[in-house]
Amino acid sequence: MRLVNKTAIVTGASRGIGRTVAKVLAEQGASVVLAGRTRAALEEAAEEIRTRGGQATAVVCDVTVEGDVEQLVKATLEGYGRVDILVNNAGITRDGLVMRMSEEDWDAVLDTNLKSVYRCTRAVLRPMLKQRAGRIVNIASVVGLTGNAGQANYAAAKAGIVAFTKSVAREVASRGITVNAVAPGYIDTDMTRALSPEQRERILSGIPMGRMGSTEDVAYAVAFLAGEEAGYITGQTLVVDGGLVM
Ligand SMILES: NC(=O)c1ccc[n+]([C@@H]2O[C@H](COP(=O)([O-])OP(=O)(O)OC[C@H]3O[C@@H](n4cnc5c(N)ncnc54)[C@H](OP(=O)(O)O)[C@@H]3O)[C@@H](O)[C@H]2O)c1
């Protein structure tokens, strides 16, 4: 129970990586606030945690809406009195070659995947600065490090997260707050289930471990960075990819 007495906000917690991150943080003792747009799925995820003896609250929040994000942090402070951990996980893809990419697809991906990280981080910093403690973990991606044809918007957003992470880490390092990123490789979720069998084969052949990652593989890395033991680690991007990028 290394996260006992901690309160965590996880965005994009209705399914995929975020849902497992919420589950693992709760298993380690944290009270978890699950945020996302789909109420039914969020409630189900929160109920699963409570059934296993954990503390969890579902809050409907679209991370592209500033008022929703403010409300999310307000509800967390009202419910639990503090916010110790923020996991910026919500994300979408709108893939396409850049020549044919619409501004709408560019903006949607940058807003959901990058600007939301700024929005949520800004919203939790005041309480964290008051507490003189906090952990922010941003979910980037290996494609933010390598680039990927057909994902210029997504890769740019994820590379932006890496630089944002380092910048904020520098701003708050003296206040007991760490800011790190986790960069997953290919993880088995709804996001990657859209890949064709050929794309999947090609990707698998490039992964030294020969398998896609599980949501648990990512969640345990996040949980490590969210704990006290990781207190001297900041501004880092931890790659969780079965050896794909090294
Ligand atoms: N899967 C991979 O291989 C992989 C690899 C590298 C990085 N990642 C990153 O890991 C994170 C999670 O991905 P995943 O694979 O778990 O994807 P997923 O299964 O598609 O889940 C995405 C989550 O984000 C939420 N979300 C999307 N837009 C949102 C918005 N505007 N406001 C609030 N929540 C929103 C979704 O909930 P609602 O739809 O209910 O809002 C859902 O809970 C993303 O940042 C993704 O880029 C994934």
Side-chain angles (χ1 to χ4, degrees):
M1 298 296 268
R2 49 193 283 285
L3 300 177
V4 77
N5 295 331
K6 305 287 184 200
T7 299
I9 296 174
V10 182
T11 69
S14 58
R15 54 197 153 86
I17 292 171
R19 181 168 175 158
T20 305
V21 167
K23 190 185 80 176
V24 167
L25 296 182
E27 279 168 4
Q28 299 190 3
S31 302
V32 183
V33 177
L34 296 92
R37 294 167 303 178
T38 318
R39 181 180 297 280
L42 279 178
E43 293 288 1
E44 191 197 300
E47 184 55 31
E48 187 192 0
I49 290 172
R50 288 192 293 264
T51 309
R52 292 157 176 252
Q55 286 230 25
T57 308
V59 175
V60 175
C61 166
D62 182 336
V63 293
T64 67
V65 178
E66 194 184 357
D68 279 17
V69 170
E70 280 167 8
Q71 196 48 46
L72 168 66
V73 176
K74 194 162 167 261
T76 305
L77 291 172
E78 280 170 5
Y80 297 103
R82 50 191 299 118
V83 53
D84 303 285
I85 299 160
L86 167 67
V87 182
N88 281 308
N89 165 81
I92 58 166
T93 52
R94 294 272 184 93
D95 296 352
L97 295 175
V98 78
M99 267 189 59
R100 287 198 289 263
M101 185 176 288
S102 66
E103 282 210 22
E104 196 199 339
D105 284 350
W106 174 270
D107 288 344
V109 168
L110 269 289
D111 196 7
T112 306
N113 296 16
L114 179 59
K115 195 170 177 185
S116 70
V117 176
Y118 143 78
R119 263 188 215 105
C120 296
T121 299
R122 196 180 50 170
V124 299
L125 275 183
R126 201 180 297 275
M128 283 184 179
L129 285 167
K130 246 193 234 164
Q131 293 164 195
R132 297 191 74 82
R135 295 278 183 270
I136 299 174
V137 183
N138 301 319
I139 306 300
S141 167
V142 289
V143 308
L145 308 174
T146 62
N148 196 22
Q151 287 198 309
N153 50 358
Y154 182 81
K158 295 301 187 181
I161 289 180
V162 171
F164 178 84
T165 298
K166 292 181 192 179
S167 305
V168 183
R170 287 180 188 276
E171 289 183 18
V172 297
S174 64
R175 312 293 190 88
I177 303 169
T178 68
V179 191
N180 290 289
V182 169
Y186 287 89
I187 311 300
D188 197 10
T189 69
D190 289 351
M191 197 174 264
T192 44
R193 267 166 223 142
L195 293 168
S196 69
E198 298 77 47
Q199 284 172 313
R200 193 173 267 263
E201 262 322 297
R202 191 171 40 77
I203 288 163
L204 282 178
S205 69
I207 302 175
M209 288 191 185
R211 66 167 177 90
M212 306 269 279
S214 68
T215 55
E216 280 79 9
D217 288 326
V218 181
Y220 287 120
V222 172
F224 165 65
L225 291 170
E228 297 285 342
E229 307 93 326
Y232 200 56
I233 301 172
T234 198
Q236 301 303 305
T237 298
L238 177 55
V239 176
V240 180
D241 69 347
L244 177 64
V245 174
M246 62 164 112

